[in-house]
């Protein structure tokens, strides 16, 4: 009996040692025609018998062919990320991970670097997203109170169109893509972190926590402080914010994707109240001065256009306008995550006659537009957004597909060979 037991034990150990592949399947039946970032927990790979300390390769089984796929481990070391390309349309895709030496070289297209006070996320040496960590001051003759750091500008398409704008003369406090809170209360007193000209508060860069580049994404995480100038004799930090921005390589010449994830808490003894107001928090974006009422459109997940979208709620919104050479178009698809407060999320979209009838374009997901939000002391809160920056056009079906993959990671199941 002991011999039989020992024999079975040896066979089991040998089979465990020989188990060098983890087969899995991704169900993308609900995602029509878009590629999506997918994560696999390291624990599942270890449980399958692979040695994660050794080199690994990821292989996609497609039409009887085996194609190696680039992957990247996240900063925590708990997940492996890759992009599931829908080259066969919606459906199920089979993959395997195994120990072995990758034949795909490190991707030199995705990178991050600092230059003249900006941290730039680049693709093929093209800066696509720039985060400003040093102070930017307004033009000569304008009050220096409008100086700011901790914002994103420019956002540029792969085709070279700049879509954001900072310090427009009509609103010197507008800074590309940013998210200060507007009407807030601290100990019963109103403090405004948005309208810098009032001198009540601001949001500034504090430090970088990390940055990364690899075969699949390039990213950074920054700490920002929401500073109250009003309540005490000395400025005080009213909110501590961690901002993570991650740029994904979709393998397309006409579009890319990036995530904007904000986590924040208040160190104040009584916390802070975000009053209900049409501006504040979430993400706000002031678009290029080229876009006016006659060459810029809006379409939301609920079928609203630019004339009807303001104040409504949406899961996603496409803002699109004329390209810089006037021969085509470019734009951004904004996605709100289901975990966000008030999702589907309220929006602030400037009307067609904004700014003296020019119809300049401003977009914001605004989670406090209709209801106030009490931020309790020491408790963490978060908001998650994804943006697809594109040249050309993006269809309703594609927008919905991008949102579906953002809203819920596709199911990953164990697969047979």
């Amino acid at each position: 009996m002991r011999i039989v037991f020992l024999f079975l034990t040896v066979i089991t150990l040998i089979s465990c040692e020989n188990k060098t592949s983890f087969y899995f399947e991704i169900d993308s039946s609900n995602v029509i025609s878009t590629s999506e970032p997918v994560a696999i927990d390291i624990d599942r790979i270890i449980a399958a018998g692979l040695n994660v300390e050794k080199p690994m390769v990821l292989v996609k089984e497609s039409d009887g062919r085996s194609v190696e796929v680039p992957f990247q481990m996240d900063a925590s070391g708990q997940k492996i990320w890759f992009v599931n390309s829908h080259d066969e349309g919606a459906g199920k895709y089979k993959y395997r991970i195994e120990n072995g030496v990758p034949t795909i070289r490190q991707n030199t297209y995705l990178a991050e670097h600092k230059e003249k006070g900006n941290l730039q996320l680049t693709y093929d040496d093209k800066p696509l997203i720039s985060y400003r960590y040093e102070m930017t001051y307004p033009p000569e003759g304008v009050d220096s109170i409008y100086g700011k750091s901790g914002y994103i500008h420019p956002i540029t398409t792969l085709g070279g169109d700049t879509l954001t704008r900072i310090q427009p003369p009509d609103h010197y406090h507008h800074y590309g893509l940013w998210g200060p809170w507007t009407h807030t209360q601290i100990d019963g007193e109103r403090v405004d972190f948005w309208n810098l000209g009032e001198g009540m508060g601001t949001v500034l860069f504090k430090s970088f926590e990390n940055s990364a580049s690899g075969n699949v994404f390039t990213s950074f995480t920054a700490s920002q402080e929401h500073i109250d100038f009003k309540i005490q004799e000395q400025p005080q930090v009213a909110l501590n914010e961690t901002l993570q921005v991650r740029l994904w390589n979709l393998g397309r010449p006409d579009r890319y994707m990036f995530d904007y994830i904000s986590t924040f808490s208040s160190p104040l003894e009584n916390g802070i109240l975000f009053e209900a107001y049409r501006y504040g928090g979430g993400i706000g974006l002031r678009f290029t001065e080229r876009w006016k009422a006659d060459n810029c459109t809006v379409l939301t997940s609920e079928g609203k256009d630019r004339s009807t979208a303001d104040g409504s709620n949406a899961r996603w919104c496409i803002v699109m306008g004329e390209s810089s050479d006037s021969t085509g178009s470019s734009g951004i698809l904004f996605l709100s995550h289901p975990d966000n407060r008030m999702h589907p999320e309220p929006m602030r979209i400037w009307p067609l006659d904004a700014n003296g009838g020019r119809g300049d374009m401003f977009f914001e997901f605004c989670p406090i537009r209709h209801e106030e939000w009490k931020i309790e002391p020491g408790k963490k809160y978060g908001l998650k957004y994804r943006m697809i920056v594109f040249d050309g056009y993006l269809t309703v079906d594609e927008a919905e597909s991008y949102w579906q993959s953002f809203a819920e990671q596709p199911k990953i199941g164990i697969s047979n060979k």
Side-chain angles (χ1 to χ4, degrees):
M1 188 70 177
R2 178 181 295 177
I3 294 175
V4 173
F5 175 77
L6 288 174
F7 176 76
L8 291 174
T9 301
V10 170
I11 292 297
T12 301
L13 290 173
I14 292 174
S15 59
C16 285
E17 286 187 2
N18 290 337
K19 188 175 183 180
T20 57
S21 296
F22 169 47
Y23 292 84
F24 63 95
E25 186 176 76
I26 298 175
D27 187 350
S28 296
S29 301
N30 295 327
V31 183
I32 300 172
S33 59
T34 57
S35 298
E36 61 200 342
V38 177
I40 300 179
D41 292 332
I42 287 292
D43 289 345
R44 296 185 72 175
I45 298 172
I46 294 173
L50 274 73
N51 185 345
V52 296
E53 301 298 324
K54 292 183 178 180
M56 294 183 292
V57 293
L58 173 64
V59 178
K60 183 179 184 179
E61 306 287 352
S62 178
D63 291 331
R65 298 180 296 113
S66 296
V67 181
E68 191 172 336
V69 176
F71 67 88
Q72 183 173 341
M73 191 172 293
D74 67 10
S76 68
Q78 300 302 308
K79 294 180 183 293
I80 282 179
W81 286 93
F82 63 98
V83 173
N84 180 38
S85 298
H86 292 192
D87 41 19
E88 299 171 20
K92 296 183 178 180
Y93 290 85
K94 291 188 176 182
Y95 288 85
R96 74 173 187 272
I97 296 178
E98 58 194 14
N99 287 123
V101 179
T103 60
I104 297 178
R105 293 185 177 182
Q106 176 70 24
N107 190 340
T108 58
Y109 289 99
L110 289 168
E112 52 82 18
H113 72 277
K114 295 176 182 176
E115 181 177 316
K116 298 180 179 179
N118 301 295
L119 189 150
Q120 298 179 335
L121 302 184
T122 67
Y123 179 79
D124 196 16
D125 294 327
K126 298 176 183 177
L128 298 179
I129 295 173
S130 292
Y131 174 79
R132 181 68 177 172
Y133 60 87
E134 290 189 358
M135 288 294 291
T136 300
Y137 291 98
E140 187 176 352
V142 178
D143 194 331
S144 62
I145 199 171
Y146 287 103
K148 181 159 169 47
S149 64
Y151 61 89
I152 292 177
H153 171 79
I155 295 175
T156 307
T157 72
L158 285 166
D161 272 2
T162 295
L163 300 185
T164 50
R165 185 184 188 186
I166 66 169
Q167 300 177 337
D170 51 78
H171 291 78
Y172 281 114
H173 58 274
H174 281 195
Y175 277 91
L177 174 65
W178 83 124
W181 300 95
T182 310
H183 285 197
T184 78
Q185 286 187 27
I186 298 176
D187 296 332
E189 294 287 331
R190 177 175 169 263
V191 178
D192 190 334
F193 300 93
W194 178 289
N195 294 290
L196 300 178
E198 296 189 13
M200 295 184 185
T202 189
V203 182
L204 299 177
F205 165 80
K206 180 184 178 184
S207 63
F208 285 112
E209 296 186 7
N210 60 61
S211 59
S213 292
N215 282 343
V216 180
F217 63 82
T218 180
S219 67
F220 69 85
T221 302
S223 295
Q224 301 185 152
E225 292 179 328
H226 298 236
I227 303 171
D228 158 33
F229 296 139
K230 181 181 177 183
I231 302 303
Q232 299 184 353
E233 291 185 5
Q234 298 296 322
Q236 66 173 345
V237 176
L239 282 174
N240 289 304
E241 180 184 17
T242 299
L243 174 64
Q244 182 188 71
V245 177
R246 180 174 285 183
L247 175 94
W248 299 94
N249 174 21
L250 296 180
R252 295 185 56 147
D254 61 342
R255 66 182 68 166
Y256 65 90
M257 171 190 294
F258 74 97
D259 294 338
Y260 184 104
I261 301 173
S262 171
T263 305
F264 52 91
S265 63
S266 176
L268 302 180
E269 182 180 357
N270 298 315
I272 184 171
L273 177 69
F274 301 153
E275 296 178 348
Y277 190 63
R278 67 179 183 275
Y279 291 104
I283 48 170
L285 193 147
R286 179 65 187 264
F287 277 93
T288 171
E289 59 271 26
R290 300 192 319 268
W291 290 1
K292 304 289 191 295
D294 61 348
N295 66 353
C296 177
T297 63
V298 168
L299 180 63
T300 78
S301 57
E302 313 311 303
K304 305 287 187 180
D305 61 17
R306 187 169 179 187
S307 65
T308 58
D310 183 47
S312 68
N313 294 15
R315 292 173 289 114
W316 54 258
C317 180
I318 303 172
V319 180
M320 184 169 61
E322 187 177 80
S323 59
S324 57
D325 62 6
S326 302
T327 63
S329 60
S330 55
I332 299 178
L333 165 65
F334 296 89
L335 307 176
S336 167
H337 196 274
D339 290 344
N340 288 358
R341 184 180 191 267
M342 300 300 294
H343 180 88
E345 208 162 334
M347 296 170 293
R348 171 58 173 156
I349 295 175
W350 276 358
L352 290 164
D353 60 353
N355 285 3
R358 291 196 310 266
D360 298 340
M361 185 61 208
F362 173 88
F363 171 86
E364 183 181 10
F365 270 131
C366 186
I368 45 79
R369 171 129 196 187
H370 304 305
E371 292 184 18
E372 66 182 27
W373 191 5
K374 174 62 177 177
I375 304 303
E376 301 292 343
K379 184 178 178 180
K380 285 190 175 182
Y381 299 82
L383 295 165
K384 294 184 283 188
Y385 302 97
R386 175 170 286 175
M387 282 152 272
I388 291 80
V389 182
F390 60 92
D391 293 299
Y393 296 89
L394 193 146
T395 68
V396 170
D397 285 345
E398 287 179 315
E400 181 64 23
S401 186
Y402 278 120
W403 183 82
Q404 290 287 346
S405 65
F406 181 49
E408 184 177 0
Q409 278 277 294
K411 295 179 181 178
I412 299 177
I414 304 299
S415 172
N416 297 320
K417 295 184 181 181

